[in-house]
Amino acid sequence: MSRDVRWMARALEIAERGLGTTAPNPAVGSVIVRDCLLIGEGHTQPVGGAHAEVMALEDCRARGEDPRGGTLYVTLEPCRHHGRTPPCTDAIVEAGIARVVVGCVDPFLEMQGRSLAVLREAGIEVVLGVLGGQCRDLIRGFARALVHHLPEVTSKVAMSLDGHIATATGESKWISGPESREHAHSLRHRHDAILVGRATVDADDPRLTTRVPGGVDPVPVVLDTELRISADARLFASSRTPVIVCAEDAPERELPGTIVRVPRGPGGVDVEQALRALADAGLHRILVEGGGMVHRSLLDAQLVDTLCVYVAGVIVPGGRSWIGGGPLASLAEAQRLNAPTVRSLGPDVLLEYSLPHRVGA
């Protein structure tokens, strides 16, 4: 079992390389081991490309190794059906793999453990559940979209030590240090879409791109209730087609992006329906970067999984708060968070909180 844990941990590392690139498919990693040596590894490719198991088998052959008799580790149950690619179960059987160790079952209706039976019927030993919790966490957005039609959501904030994202006049570049900004761009790369409100577009005119070597730009998404965004906004120059979410009764407009109409909610568009529209479009991992009312609406609705707060070593008296909306009547209404994970990034600190979600994990 200790060997299985070791190699599944490696498969998880490989899987994370695909985050932000595989939508609407989940990020999956696979390694192949024979005689206690790793002989192949791979992760799921962008949509239409090979799955992790096939990539690992191809890597074996590229190294001049024969996978026959080896053990294949994979973070998610291999597919058994024809889709954009042939069944991975067929490739595993044909390669002569003797043992398959699976992190978690695929929640897809056509799967749910059925491919494990296919492998067992072919005489392959199958072990399920090694590092299962971590493997399920990795596909949370994919699984939630299938079951609840909602994505996984991370809210990201960069603020001063006294809780401000800008001075009173709106100056914000840069509160956080270069290490924090580099980390934030890597976070963008790991998500399918990046969501902001129109007020953020008006104030900062962000590009919403990933500026790290080899990074992939997420899909820019703007919540714009009345559809008033400027057609000259820099995000329209993104390598991905922007999505503008407006109210059902917003005025008709031509924009160089995709317009999605949803019902109105308190103070703007219905944020839950907006997220459902994104999930149904195959955007399963959403990074929220503001503004204050967007953060507040999602937190109040319990639609945020992770809150990432970059706390900079700077004090900005009288600045603008990172969260909007009206005040609470009492501390009893305040949301209490569990202990965060803490990471130093140069002069800044990253606090990462896991939040209770409306529909659970």
Side-chain angles (χ1 to χ4, degrees):
M1 180 59 72
S2 61
R3 288 180 181 174
D4 286 347
V5 169
R6 173 192 175 190
W7 293 118
M8 187 61 76
R10 176 61 179 172
L12 280 163
E13 290 179 14
I14 300 299
E16 289 181 357
R17 297 177 185 175
L19 287 173
T21 69
T22 62
N25 293 329
V28 180
S30 180
V31 300
I32 299 173
V33 176
R34 193 188 62 224
D35 300 327
C36 299
L37 296 175
L38 188 149
I39 59 172
E41 59 187 16
H43 62 80
T44 298
Q45 298 300 291
V47 64
H51 290 184
E53 303 91 318
V54 172
M55 293 299 296
L57 289 168
E58 290 181 359
D59 187 41
C60 273
R61 291 158 187 147
R63 298 179 188 218
E65 299 285 355
D66 184 356
R68 188 168 302 277
T71 296
L72 182 143
Y73 295 83
V74 62
T75 56
L76 181 67
E77 175 184 2
C79 69
R80 69 178 186 97
H81 58 284
H82 284 272
R84 295 184 177 92
T85 59
C88 289
T89 49
D90 288 357
I92 292 170
V93 173
E94 291 169 6
I97 293 292
R99 184 170 179 262
V100 175
V101 180
V102 178
C104 64
V105 166
D106 192 329
F108 183 54
L109 186 61
E110 291 293 320
M111 301 291 292
Q112 299 184 357
R114 292 179 176 87
S115 71
L116 306 186
V118 170
L119 295 174
R120 289 183 175 117
E121 288 170 4
I124 297 173
E125 178 188 353
V126 176
V127 177
L128 173 64
V130 176
L131 297 184
Q134 294 178 45
C135 292
R136 285 188 293 273
D137 286 346
L138 189 69
I139 63 158
R140 179 183 291 142
F142 171 73
R144 183 177 290 150
L146 285 179
V147 178
H148 300 288
H149 298 276
L150 283 168
E152 179 180 5
V153 174
T154 297
S155 277
K156 190 213 83 176
V157 178
M159 68 179 190
S160 64
L161 195 59
D162 52 344
H164 298 137
I165 59 171
T167 65
T169 59
E171 183 183 357
S172 61
K173 295 181 180 178
W174 296 101
I175 282 181
S176 58
E179 295 90 348
S180 289
R181 296 198 298 275
E182 182 179 351
H183 185 274
H185 279 286
S186 70
L187 201 61
R188 286 182 175 184
H189 163 73
R190 292 158 62 89
H191 285 77
D192 304 329
I194 179 169
L195 185 152
V196 298
R198 182 178 58 82
T200 296
V201 177
D202 290 346
D204 301 333
D205 196 17
R207 288 183 290 170
L208 302 182
T209 54
T210 299
R211 294 185 287 279
V212 294
V216 176
D217 291 340
V219 174
V221 178
V222 182
L223 300 187
D224 181 10
T225 307
E226 306 300 340
L227 204 56
R228 293 174 178 165
I229 189 172
S230 169
D232 296 325
R234 292 198 299 172
L235 61 85
F236 286 116
S238 168
S239 63
R240 310 288 294 275
T241 302
V243 175
I244 313 301
V245 182
C246 65
E248 290 175 327
D249 57 353
E252 296 290 334
R253 268 189 78 192
E254 291 289 334
L255 286 170
T258 301
I259 297 174
V260 175
R261 295 177 180 270
V262 300
R264 288 180 181 267
V269 297
D270 185 318
V271 290
E272 180 175 342
Q273 294 306 315
L275 291 181
R276 289 187 184 281
L278 298 178
D280 289 344
L283 302 173
H284 300 158
R285 289 171 50 83
I286 312 298
L287 179 65
V288 180
E289 292 200 359
M293 285 305 303
V294 175
H295 285 307
R296 178 69 178 271
S297 297
L298 293 169
L299 287 168
D300 284 352
Q302 287 190 293
L303 292 170
V304 177
D305 294 278
T306 305
L307 175 61
C308 289
V309 183
Y310 298 87
V311 182
V314 62
I315 299 173
V316 185
R320 298 181 180 181
S321 174
W322 71 270
I323 191 163
L328 300 181
S330 69
L331 275 176
E333 299 178 42
Q335 184 174 2
R336 302 286 183 176
L337 308 182
N338 292 325
T341 60
V342 182
R343 177 177 176 179
S344 294
L345 294 169
D348 305 340
V349 174
L350 171 60
L351 305 177
E352 189 171 330
Y353 295 91
S354 294
L355 306 184
H357 193 279
R358 173 185 297 182
V359 299

